[in-house]
């Protein structure tokens, strides 16, 4: 007996977003705040997975771009008096433009070398946020006035939550469509074999730039929402630790999987809050959990979901891991690319 | 002129720090094609174990050093068996996250055991803490110890990879694990010993550098970032490259701090790397190869 | 079948989300029952600056235990609930919300990092929960004052001004600054620069150090070249030690003026390694003397009993000192305890002689309870009182 396709990744997403939408009705302020953070992380994970999971570009700049989005949005409000609604799109676009520049080094570098170059960029960005005091207010951070939700028919307190929810859902649907389109297929082709992709007429610069542009835009949007949520922007929120958490989310969820991004982000945010109970030993437990995830599900939880929920499809999931090495080395350490590619793409 | 001499000397001595860390990273990479993100924490473990033996336990220095290195070696084996063994074949991203997990665990344990003793723990240097005269500049004696260690380790590793069979096995495993298996190499064992030796190196570095870096659970973090930067700058598979990368980074930092402003000290390293990689995408002395299709 | 598995997944998700929503049935005043008072605390428990949270909270807990041994406050035992803020703004906001809405604590004694505490201040003000700052020094936390926030830590502006005043009192002519420019450092650096401007004084050298820097030769060379005879040290022990050590190396010996982060002079001496390094060094202190001194023997024992792995440190004493004032306010608020009464009781703290803070503690009339910086120096390996300054 076969199950109808409705049990699967789509119903999981519907359930999660349904619960998140209803959250203000029954949760207290703490849970609501965590839920809002979860939405932000979902956006970040979606973007990062496009870059790392689908396009195979091992970049470590996402947290810095997140910061540029937050700073851009907040500084436009504080220095130029713009409203949040005008500043947020501009901040996100600014993040996108700066992030896209990283496509240039990505043409020459791959694997660990790209990782390091983007990491260097991220550290340099932190340095700028610390030292360009006249603009960024330095390491002490600064306060941002709250966005005006007067025009939305909800309580002021819930405004940022519903806006985050709507934006996250929108970006999720957008990601879903893109990854199933030509662009998504081009990304995956690039990931699985650059030279073969080129021989199919895929221009690497265009598609790498697009991958960086997309992930940076998502990070920028998340940054704008962050500034609206916290009302306080400072550099330490966008450091290497943040980058590591984002990376962990997409790997735990599943590289090359849209739902995997959501799953990884939601799960890790939830886990990190639950682990509060461990107080000072949180780090040990969290580290042990990450190790456990990697030992039991190294390709992400979507593999588990796929096995047990028959309607769960992951046509582009990377079961083999990202390309690890510089040219000249056999990429077999990267593992065999998934058999999933061979299966027909069901709509 | 005096300032220039000092800056050069300091550049080389801090470069030696980065080089020592980088060498440990390179040896692991040469064999497994993985960067162990917990390398800095292994550094901390070595230093803390030596602290426990030497400062707290009163055991003489040399046995403490050996115990610390042995301890780090054991931790390396443990982490490989528990965390990395089954993950290595699943691709770089998964391994990186596993190493991140190990890093959190080691740091958390470090905080738990040693964290309540103070914010920074002092470790006495091997020789006198007073500076030594060299021409018209002064150098701390422990810095010379580290410099000496770098040279010794570099020579030892170069010999190891070129002349010994074990070294060749490691390189073969990195180059093509499947072919290596077909030739009868036990790549599981090789991975395990590689991580263990890398950990031992990190631990040794931790002990030797402890009098100058001081000991605290996060001591490995920045050193790891800079050390990894040095290793990548050097080419990641090249042992002299790691040392060269380290020294270049150290010099860049000190010269920028001295002649521009001290606020540039931290960022110069990253700028140097970004530009170097643009012109030399596989690092200074890295393997420039043809891409396999 | 489809409906069943959907229902199961739905219930699991629902349960998962609501599990985050742990509650305690509140009395009319949150956090109080007939037998206990729940006090919350937030600060870094993990991450590089965990000592400012974890160790300070350990001190608070030791003090609370002592109070509880003697029967508590008006018969109620004090229970400390800790939350980690990871020294991040979103961490602090989440921690405060959790303390207020999940744990439903009566009051908060905490605040380990400046930025996160600043970020959480609006939430704390909105909830009108009493908040006693125990470690963070940024002025913005209590300036402009909020009705429900008090601090017993000397704030950054007072320390920075005091450092400059000391240098001038000692006759220094050329003053220099070596500072960390992270959030912690900036909280001190900015008021210091402003005070320099106010006095019309020039800073002859303004160097930056980073927290993890292993070598201070470049900074030392610049300081020496500027001819500075007094240097304000705005750094943590490692950065300070590295700069002093390498200054000695190049033969530069100014008057070093430190602040509460480097008040543990024997430890700093140990980090530097060179004997006599701190001959010309003073620092502002939260704690007169050194944790190893006999006057702290009782606290040392109590700490070892509760936390066997730890040694009594300055951070523990900071927590104990803050908790002592907090306890006195609780006592003065009376048996019929409410948040408003508790906040009003701060006004009874007037020239209170704390068993740890060197100066008098006065919360009456202002929210900065501790405005008397005291200086210490090292003499024959003993930490001795060096003097105070009159802040103009």
């Amino acid at each position: 007996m076969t199950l109808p396709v409705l049990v699967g990744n789509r119903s999981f997403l519907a359930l999660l977003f349904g619960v998140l939408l209803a959250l203000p009705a029954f949760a207290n302020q703490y849970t609501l705040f965590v839920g809002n953070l979860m939405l932000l992380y979902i956006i970040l994970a979606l973007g990062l997975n496009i870059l790392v999971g689908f396009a195979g570009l091992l970049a470590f700049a996402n947290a810095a771009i997140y910061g540029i989005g937050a700073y851009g949005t907040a500084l436009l409000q504080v220095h130029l008096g713009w409203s949040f609604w005008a500043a947020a799109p501009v901040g996100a676009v600014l993040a996108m433009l700066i992030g896209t520049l990283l496509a240039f080094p990505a043409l020459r570098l791959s694997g660990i070398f790209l990782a390091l170059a983007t990491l260097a960029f991220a550290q340099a960005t932190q340095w700028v946020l610390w030292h360009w005091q006249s603009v960024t207010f330095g390491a002490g951070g600064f306060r941002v006035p709250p966005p005006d939700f007067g025009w939305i028919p909800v309580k002021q307190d819930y405004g940022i939550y519903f806006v985050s929810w709507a934006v996250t859902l929108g970006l999720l649907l957008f990601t879903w469509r893109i990854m199933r389109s030509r662009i998504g297929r081009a990304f995956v082709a690039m990931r699985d074999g650059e030279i073969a992709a080129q021989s199919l007429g895929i221009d690497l610069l265009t598609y790498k730039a697009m991958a960086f542009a997309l992930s940076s835009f998502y990070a920028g949007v998340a940054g704008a929402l962050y500034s609206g949520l916290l009302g306080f922007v400072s550099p330490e929120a966008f450091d290497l630790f943040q980058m590591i958490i984002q990376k962990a989310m997409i790997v735990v969820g599943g590289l090359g999987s849209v739902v995997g991004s959501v799953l990884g982000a939601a799960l890790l945010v939830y886990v990190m809050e639950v682990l509060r109970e461990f107080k000072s030993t949180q780090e040990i437990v969290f580290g042990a959990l990450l190790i456990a995830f990697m030992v039991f599900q190294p390709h992400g939880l979507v593999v588990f979901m796929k096995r047990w929920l028959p309607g769960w499809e992951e046509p582009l999931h990377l079961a083999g891991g990202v390309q690890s090495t510089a040219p000249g080395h056999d990429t077999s350490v990267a593992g065999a690319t998934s058999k999933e590619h061979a299966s027909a793409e069901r709509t | 002129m005096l300032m220039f001499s000092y800056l050069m000397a300091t550049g080389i001595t801090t470069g030696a720090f980065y080089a020592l860390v980088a060498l440990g990273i390179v040896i692991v990479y040469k064999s497994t094609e993985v960067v162990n993100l917990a390398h800095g924490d292994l550094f901390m473990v070595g230093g803390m174990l030596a602290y426990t033996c030497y400062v707290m336990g009163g055991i003489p220095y040399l046995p403490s050093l050996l115990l610390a290195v042995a301890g780090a070696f054991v931790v390396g084996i443990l982490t490989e068996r528990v965390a990395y063994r089954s993950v290595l074949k699943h691709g770089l991203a998964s391994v990186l996250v596993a190493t991140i997990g190990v890093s959190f665990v080691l740091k958390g344990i470090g905080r738990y055991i040693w964290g309540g003793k103070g914010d920074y723990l002092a470790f006495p240097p091997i020789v006198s803490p007073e500076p030594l005269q060299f021409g018209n500049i002064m150098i701390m004696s422990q810095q010379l110890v580290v410099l000496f260690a770098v040279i010794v380790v570099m020579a030892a590793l170069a010999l190891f990879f070129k002349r010994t069979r074990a070294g060749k096995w490691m390189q073969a495993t990195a180059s093509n694990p499947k072919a290596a298996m077909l030739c009868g190499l036990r790549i599981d064992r090789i991975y395990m010993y590689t991580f263990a030796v890398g950990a031992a190196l990190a631990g040794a570095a931790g002990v030797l550098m402890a009098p100058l870096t001081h000991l605290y659970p996060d001591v490995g973090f920045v050193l790891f970032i800079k050390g990894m930067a040095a290793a990548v700058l050097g080419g990641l598979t090249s042992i002299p490259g790691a040392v060269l990368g380290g020294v270049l980074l150290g010099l860049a930092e000190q010269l920028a701090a001295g002649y521009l402003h001290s606020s540039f000290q931290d960022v110069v390293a990253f700028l140097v790397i970004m530009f170097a990689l643009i012109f030399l995408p596989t690092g200074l002395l890295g393997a420039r190869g043809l891409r396999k299709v | 079948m489809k409906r069943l598995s959907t229902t199961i997944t739905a219930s699991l998700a629902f349960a998962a989300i609501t599990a985050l929503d742990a509650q305690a049935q509140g009395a009319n005043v949150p956090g109080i029952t007939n037998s206990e008072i729940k006090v919350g605390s937030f600060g870094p428990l993990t991450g590089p600056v965990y000592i400012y949270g974890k160790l300070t909270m350990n001190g608070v807990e030791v003090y609370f235990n002592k109070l509880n041994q003697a029967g508590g406050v008006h018969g109620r035992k004090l229970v400390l609930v800790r939350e980690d803020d990871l020294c991040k703004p979103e961490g602090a906001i989440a921690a405060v919300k959790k303390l207020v809405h999940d744990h439903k604590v009566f009051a908060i004694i905490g605040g380990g990092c400046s930025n996160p505490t600043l970020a959480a201040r609006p939430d704390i003000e909105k909830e009108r929960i009493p908040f006693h700052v125990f470690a963070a020094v940024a002025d913005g936390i209590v300036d402009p004052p909020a009705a429900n926030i008090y601090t017993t830590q000397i704030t950054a502006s007072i320390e920075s001004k005091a450092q400059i005043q000391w240098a001038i009192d000692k006759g220094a002519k050329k003053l220099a600054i070596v500072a960390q420019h992270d959030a912690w450092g900036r909280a001190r650096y900015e008021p210091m620069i402003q005070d320099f401007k106010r006095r019309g004084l020039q800073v002859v050298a303004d160097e930056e150090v980073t927290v993890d820097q292993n070598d201070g030769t470049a900074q030392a060379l610049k300081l020496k070249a500027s001819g500075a005879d007094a240097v304000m040290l705005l750094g943590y022990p490692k950065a300070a030690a590295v700069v002093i050590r390498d200054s000695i190396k190049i033969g530069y010996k100014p008057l070093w003026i430190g602040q509460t982060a480097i008040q543990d002079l024997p430890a700093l001496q140990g980090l530097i390694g060179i004997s006599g390094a701190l001959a010309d060094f003073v620092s502002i202190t939260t704690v007169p003397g050194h944790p190893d001194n006999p006057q702290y023997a009782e606290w040392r024992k109590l700490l070892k009993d509760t936390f066997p792995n730890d040694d009594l440190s300055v951070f523990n004493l900071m927590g104990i000192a803050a908790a002592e004032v907090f306890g006195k306010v609780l006592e003065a608020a009376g048996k019929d305890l409410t948040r408003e009464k508790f906040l009003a009781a701060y006004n009874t703290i007037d020239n209170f002689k704390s068993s740890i803070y060197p100066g008098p503690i006065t919360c009456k009339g202002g929210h900065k309870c501790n405005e008397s910086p005291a200086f210490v120096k090292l003499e024959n390996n003993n930490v001795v009182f060096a003097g105070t300054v009159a802040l103009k």
Side-chain angles (χ1 to χ4, degrees), chain A residues 44 47-48 51 59-73 88 90-103 118-119 121-126 129 211-226 233 235 237-239 242-243 246:
Chain A
L44 287 164
L48 190 61
L51 189 61
F60 274 76
N62 216 48
I65 309 280
Y66 178 35
I68 293 176
Y71 267 88
T73 310
V90 176
V93 168
L94 177 68
M96 179 176 86
L97 291 174
I98 295 181
T100 313
L101 293 175
L102 294 173
T118 47
L119 178 70
F121 169 80
Q123 297 294 93
T125 307
Q126 274 279 304
L129 292 177
F212 273 104
L214 280 170
S215 67
S216 304
F217 179 70
Y218 282 51
V221 168
L225 290 171
Y226 173 91
V233 179
F238 312 109
D239 63 1
Q242 167 70 220
M243 187 68 246
Q246 288 180 27

Side-chain angles (χ1 to χ4, degrees), chain A residues 14 26 30 53 61 77 104-105 127 132 156 170 179 223 231-232 270 298 310 319 345:
Chain A
F26 61 88
Y30 162 69
Q77 294 175 259
F104 287 101
W127 187 88
W132 198 13
Q156 183 77 355
M179 291 305 118
F232 184 88
Y270 177 70
E345 232 186 74

Side-chain angles (χ1 to χ4, degrees), chain A residues 58 108-109 112-113 116 120 123 127 194 240-241 244 251 283-284 287-288 291 294-295 298-299 325 327-329, chain B residues 33 35 82 87 90 94 97 100-101 104-105 111 221 225 232 236 263-264 267 270 274 277-279 281 290-291:
Chain A
L58 192 65
R108 306 245 309 162
L109 306 167
I112 292 278
F113 295 96
L116 191 72
Q123 297 294 93
W127 187 88
E194 272 192 12
L240 212 47
F241 179 80
I244 287 175
V251 177
E283 276 172 320
I284 303 178
I291 296 174
M294 288 302 105
V295 168
H299 294 156
T325 62
H329 293 266
Chain B
E33 299 223 316
V35 173
V82 171
V87 187
H90 292 293
S94 313
V97 174
I100 289 171
F104 275 119
V105 171
R111 282 193 230 289
F221 178 65
I225 299 286
V232 172
L236 258 191
S263 49
F264 287 96
V267 78
F270 298 112
M274 283 201 286
L277 287 177
I278 289 177
F279 296 107
L290 303 165
R291 249 188 176 155

